[in-house]
Amino acid sequence: YHPDYGTNLLKFIFEPNDNLTSQDIEKEIKRTVSLYLPNLTIKSVDFNRPVDNESQLNVHIKFTYTEDAFTENGELELNF
């Protein structure tokens, strides 16, 4: 049982949708990944705020997963 497993992204739900919050979200994602998924390397984290929905934040993450001789690149899209 790992009660602290995962991110604490919920704390950002009512924060301003600005660059400072985006930086904090990126730090939280990278911290959690390095702690729980040491074989996963985040290559980039990009943010997009749709013009027609100011309260939405889209997060695009590019990563590489490596285990022994196996390497896989992937992408993940999160929408808040």
Side-chain angles (χ1 to χ4, degrees), residues 7-26:
T7 66
N8 192 12
L9 292 176
L10 286 177
K11 70 181 177 184
F12 299 107
I13 293 294
F14 295 107
E15 293 298 316
N17 191 2
D18 59 15
N19 289 335
L20 184 58
T21 301
S22 296
Q23 291 172 359
D24 289 343
I25 290 171
E26 181 174 356

Side-chain angles (χ1 to χ4, degrees), residues 33-49:
V33 166
S34 68
L35 184 62
Y36 296 110
L37 300 167
N39 294 1
L40 193 130
T41 303
I42 293 181
K43 297 296 184 183
S44 67
V45 180
D46 298 309
F47 297 91
N48 179 309
R49 292 173 185 81

